[in-house]
Amino acid sequence: MGRARRPPVKKPIPDRKFDRWVDEFLSHAQFERGLSQNTVEAYRRDLAMWRRFCEHSGVGSTSVTSRDVTEYLERLRDGRPPASQPYQPSTVGRMLVSIRSFYRFLAQEGELEANPTVTVGVPRRTRSLPKAIPLADVERLLESPAADLLGRRDRAILEMLYGAGLRISELVDLDVDDVDLTRGLVLVVKGKGSKSRQVPLGRAARRAVESYLGSARPALARRGRTKSSRGALFLNARGGRLSRQGCWKVLKGRAKAAGLDRTVSPHTLRHSFATHMLDGGADIRVVQELLGHASLTTTQVYTLVSDSRLREVYESSHPRAKG
């Protein structure tokens, strides 16, 4: 008997037209729609994954159908190629949004007759509550840095993340001129969607930043004068602008020093800021403005956290709650 013939391997189909369209779409997103660099990069990554699927499935740039998109999403959910592991529904939904935006742009530009993603449904997302940490744990974390050079910097970082509810990207993008200690305000110039907002700084955050600017930052700045760090508020140990990864490392180290068992991220402090504000009686629209949320719906998830806290206090305190 002859040896069984192996099925031919389908070769990827290069699609230079697709690459050109992606470049045009990303340029449009950044310069005409004014989307943030992080959003543009997310679009780029999502479309690169979609491109791999199209190449290996033999789908041409002008012949995409809703069935192709649906199959792609199913592969992402199941962890089949081009995915290396199953994706969460929220991630699959975000990747569909990227593809949908891309083909909507092509249809508007007249490159395609219709958007093939219009009839594709977004995967249902499970609504998970933000994880806030108790105030006692926040205070332990804020007290963990020593009064040395990097300790004063780290204290200022932690106080601003929690005291102003900043995103990590907003924090590392701050310049010295963005902070007004006299009026107790920080100007967030590069918020999500490139929208600016002013956020108040409490007394603790103002003292921490003032202490850092007084001696710690000048000492760090002398270690390295680079164009990228010029004017940056937070500097790394070499004198350059602190990166997102560097900020994560700071928080991880300080959480460990404070003896916190739970995972604490910059976003954890942002969640805690919002939850503790609402627990203290703040109006939800004020919290929306402070967080820089475009939609009140985004902020309303924190009311679920506060409602659960109210029920917890009620059930543990009211004499008839467990009757």
Side-chain angles (χ1 to χ4, degrees), residues 241-259:
R241 182 183 288 271
L242 186 69
S243 65
R244 292 164 58 99
Q245 293 79 5
C247 187
W248 261 94
K249 187 176 180 180
V250 166
L251 188 51
K252 184 177 180 180
R254 295 305 178 185
K256 183 178 180 180

Side-chain angles (χ1 to χ4, degrees), residues 246-293:
C247 187
W248 261 94
K249 187 176 180 180
V250 166
L251 188 51
K252 184 177 180 180
R254 295 305 178 185
K256 183 178 180 180
L260 300 183
D261 296 330
R262 67 187 77 231
T263 301
V264 180
S265 69
H267 225 63
T268 304
L269 293 183
R270 179 171 162 87
H271 292 328
S272 302
F273 162 84
T275 303
H276 296 166
M277 287 281 293
L278 290 169
D279 283 343
D283 184 272
I284 188 173
R285 292 194 177 274
V286 173
V287 176
Q288 176 192 358
E289 290 294 324
L290 293 174
L291 292 174
H293 287 162

